[in-house]
Amino acid sequence: MSSFPDLAMPIVERLRAKAETDPARAIAFQGSPGANSHRAAMEARPEMAPLPCFGFEDALDAVTDGRAGHAIIPIENSQHGRVADIHFLLPESGLSIVGEYFMPIHHALMAPASNIGDVAITAAYSHPQALGQSRRFLRERGIVPLSYIDTAGAAAHVAELGDPAIGAISPAISAELYGLEIIETHVEDAADNMTRFVILSREPVLHETGGDKPLMTTFVFEVKNIPAALYKVLGGFATNGVNMTKLESYQLGTSFSATQFYADIIGVPGDPAVDRALEECAFHSKELRILGTYEQARKRG
């Protein structure tokens, strides 16, 4: 599977045509029209034209290739954790994070309209994140979760199947776009379900220190394979009073001997305390790469 469902293609082509008229003002997102990333693109950058892309790499490539000025990518969810592969893809893309956006996430269970009420839903397609966010709902009803590349694409796929026993977990707008009937709304397991998106571009946004708006910096680093290397790195931020709001690890390659860390800190390079902390981090690391400095969309700490 490497393309959008047929039912989604007319909307995809219409959005692509609009984005092509001014690529610099296009914002790429992963998924079919109606996906949560589509909504995030419209809310975070309402002045830009949303450009649907099949996969996360496709959305990042659209910016790299100049088909879009920005991309918006989900990076983590309050309920289901980080989005798979994103921590690998962002450093590899060569793009810079220039903003973030937090969006409440609500899912609906939908199915083909025929025989609704007469046939029980036995399985539901959706993106693995949405399935994870609705895990308890699905388990309590005995609905088998089936993975699909995006939520709205799952809705279009279910509409094409036409089986009233097969549903989709998707944003409510997908039902309208693809001719499905909503069976139940707010099927996410947590009422405060929230996804954090990052906005990327080819060039970083330069920020001065001492401004009015709180800034944060995202970077990745791989510590040297020596005792207490990570402890020493973290000590550099602690002694310099730099607040690290996020730290995640993931393995590089298949040897399980090299660990890369993804981190967010409050502050901006150029601030003496941040520079000292990053310098100490670099000293104890094989590699340190800044992914971007940007304004906080939500205050930390």
Side-chain angles (χ1 to χ4, degrees):
M1 183 179 64
S2 60
S3 62
F4 295 101
D6 290 341
L7 200 59
M9 283 307 299
I11 310 174
V12 169
E13 294 299 342
R14 186 165 66 247
L15 292 174
R16 283 177 174 173
K18 184 176 180 180
E20 287 174 359
T21 62
D22 190 357
R25 294 180 63 81
I27 181 166
F29 68 92
Q30 184 272 330
S32 298
N36 284 308
S37 291
H38 186 189
R39 176 186 153 205
M42 293 188 294
E43 292 182 7
R45 292 292 188 270
E47 75 283 4
M48 303 189 78
L51 173 63
C53 300
F54 185 70
F56 288 123
E57 288 181 272
D58 301 320
L60 298 174
D61 287 345
V63 180
T64 302
D65 299 341
R67 289 178 284 118
H70 293 80
I72 186 165
I73 301 292
I75 193 167
E76 60 185 322
N77 176 263
S78 60
Q79 185 180 346
H80 199 59
R82 71 185 181 201
V83 177
D85 297 336
I86 290 301
H87 290 60
F88 295 100
L89 294 176
L90 292 186
E92 294 173 356
S93 71
L95 303 178
S96 295
I97 301 175
V98 296
E100 64 175 355
Y101 186 69
F102 290 85
M103 190 175 78
I105 301 295
H106 302 295
H107 301 299
L109 175 64
M110 55 193 70
S114 60
N115 299 326
I116 286 289
D118 299 329
V119 179
I121 301 297
T122 59
Y125 282 96
S126 196
H127 187 275
Q129 275 279 332
L131 294 173
Q133 293 161 27
S134 309
R135 182 175 57 248
R136 186 167 60 250
F137 171 87
L138 295 170
R139 186 175 64 248
E140 289 174 351
R141 288 156 181 78
I143 299 174
V144 177
L146 301 174
S147 181
Y148 203 82
I149 194 166
D150 73 275
T151 53
H157 178 64
V158 165
E160 290 175 352
L161 291 176
D163 185 343
I166 305 297
I169 300 291
S170 187
I173 190 176
S174 297
E176 180 180 346
L177 288 175
Y178 304 117
L180 299 176
E181 186 81 14
I182 292 179
I183 299 171
E184 193 166 346
T185 61
H186 295 276
V187 302
E188 63 278 359
D189 294 334
D192 58 353
N193 192 25
M194 182 81 67
T195 292
R196 178 191 178 204
F197 294 80
V198 291
I199 301 167
L200 302 109
S201 73
R202 286 186 296 278
E203 300 296 332
V205 174
L206 301 179
H207 297 275
E208 296 182 359
T209 61
D212 296 333
K213 296 182 178 180
L215 301 171
M216 64 191 313
T217 297
T218 295
F219 60 98
V220 292
F221 62 98
E222 180 188 348
V223 295
K224 296 176 181 177
N225 194 12
I226 57 175
L230 179 60
Y231 174 82
K232 293 173 182 176
V233 166
L234 297 180
F237 291 96
T239 56
N240 286 288
V242 177
N243 186 10
M244 181 176 287
T245 62
K246 184 179 182 65
L247 180 67
E248 288 192 354
S249 65
Y250 53 99
Q251 294 295 318
L252 295 175
T254 58
S255 67
F256 291 91
S257 62
T259 303
Q260 186 146 296
F261 293 89
Y262 174 100
D264 291 337
I265 58 171
I266 296 177
V268 54
D271 178 273
V274 172
D275 286 346
R276 288 193 298 267
L278 290 174
E279 183 179 357
E280 190 158 351
C281 179
F283 180 79
H284 296 292
S285 300
K286 295 180 180 179
E287 181 184 18
L288 168 66
R289 191 186 315 176
I290 303 293
L291 298 185
T293 296
Y294 47 95
E295 294 180 5
Q296 292 182 36
R298 171 174 290 192
K299 185 178 180 180
R300 272 71 156 188

